[in-house]
Amino acid sequence: MQVTRLPRRPAPEARADRPRWRLATLIEIGLTGGIGSGKSTVAAMLADRGAVVLDSDSLVRELQVPGTAVFEAIVAQWGERVVADDGTLNRGELASIVFDDPAELELLNAIVHPAHAIEMERRRSVYEGTDTVLVFDIPLLVEVGRGGFDGVVVVDLDPETAIQRLAADRGLDEADARRRMANQASRAERLDRADFVLDNGGTKADLAAEVDRCWEWIGSLGEG
């Protein structure tokens, strides 16, 4: 499946090693996918092709290191139980508190999301006026309703295959994997949000070909 919306950018001069533009045209792409879909692998492959990737999860971890306002607010809310022996955030304990409790999750989001939005925008603004391909790697893009992109890429994988890969690659048992999936948007919801669907159901070589196809599509967004 591939859904392509009308291009939003003027047609610039072609260039062999980049998508086809040279004007100072920032292209912003939202990248998402369910757990086990291979989204992070795709992000790395797009970076290899020249994209700049802003990783939402990595930014959250940066915001939660000891000494930050976010860390202090989390500890103030849930106490020392969420602080590990080394003084860092005990992510496992925090996850156990909020995972199945919508009210607790809402409290956490109220602490993290404003700081995350401010810092993400600061990092995005660095590339204003350039011809950068800026990829926002956001696992919960659909769930939070994030918009404002030139296109949204969804890394798609059959959920049963994803469960098998999670067991093989991360050691997650089936029950845990299914529980995590149930707390994310459905496959159909993600596909409905997609401008480009990147299939990760094949081999590594197949994935590389899909990423090449995606990179070419991103280049087409710069054409009139």
Side-chain angles (χ1 to χ4, degrees), residues 64-66 71 82-91:
Q64 293 176 342
V65 299
F71 177 85
V82 297
V83 180
D85 291 340
D86 63 0
T88 61
L89 185 67
N90 187 331
R91 300 182 188 283

Side-chain angles (χ1 to χ4, degrees), residues 10-26 129-132 219 222:
E13 181 180 342
R15 179 172 147 187
D17 62 336
R18 294 284 307 273
R20 299 188 298 264
W21 64 85
R22 293 192 60 159
L23 299 180
T25 304
L26 175 64
T130 74
D131 66 348
T132 303

Side-chain angles (χ1 to χ4, degrees), residues 7 61 69 127-128 157 182 193 205 220:
R61 287 191 290 272
Y127 299 97
E128 285 281 9
L157 182 63
R193 183 68 180 83
S220 76

Side-chain angles (χ1 to χ4, degrees), residues 131-181:
D131 66 348
T132 303
V133 177
L134 195 56
V135 174
F136 295 79
D137 180 349
I138 306 177
L140 302 182
L141 182 150
V142 174
E143 291 85 340
V144 301
R146 174 69 188 272
F149 303 111
D150 295 295
V152 172
V153 175
V154 170
V155 182
D156 184 50
L157 182 63
D158 176 75
E160 296 304 316
T161 303
I163 289 170
Q164 294 172 13
R165 292 184 183 180
L166 287 166
D169 299 339
R170 301 193 203 175
L172 286 183
D173 61 47
E174 180 178 340
D176 190 17
R178 292 188 185 279
R179 181 167 166 259
R180 297 188 187 203
M181 282 185 177

Side-chain angles (χ1 to χ4, degrees), residues 15-106:
R15 179 172 147 187
D17 62 336
R18 294 284 307 273
R20 299 188 298 264
W21 64 85
R22 293 192 60 159
L23 299 180
T25 304
L26 175 64
I27 301 294
E28 300 178 63
I29 301 296
L31 175 67
T32 194
I35 184 172
S37 65
K39 173 186 58 60
S40 296
T41 299
V42 169
M45 295 172 78
L46 288 172
D48 287 342
R49 286 158 176 77
V52 172
V53 177
L54 297 183
D55 186 324
S56 179
D57 278 354
S58 293
L59 176 54
V60 168
R61 287 191 290 272
E62 290 179 37
L63 292 171
Q64 293 176 342
V65 299
T68 63
V70 170
F71 177 85
E72 297 300 332
I74 290 173
V75 175
Q77 178 65 46
W78 288 285
E80 292 299 319
R81 63 183 291 198
V82 297
V83 180
D85 291 340
D86 63 0
T88 61
L89 185 67
N90 187 331
R91 300 182 188 283
E93 181 63 25
L94 182 60
S96 72
I97 295 170
V98 306
F99 196 81
D100 290 318
D101 190 326
E104 296 283 17
L105 180 59
E106 186 174 351

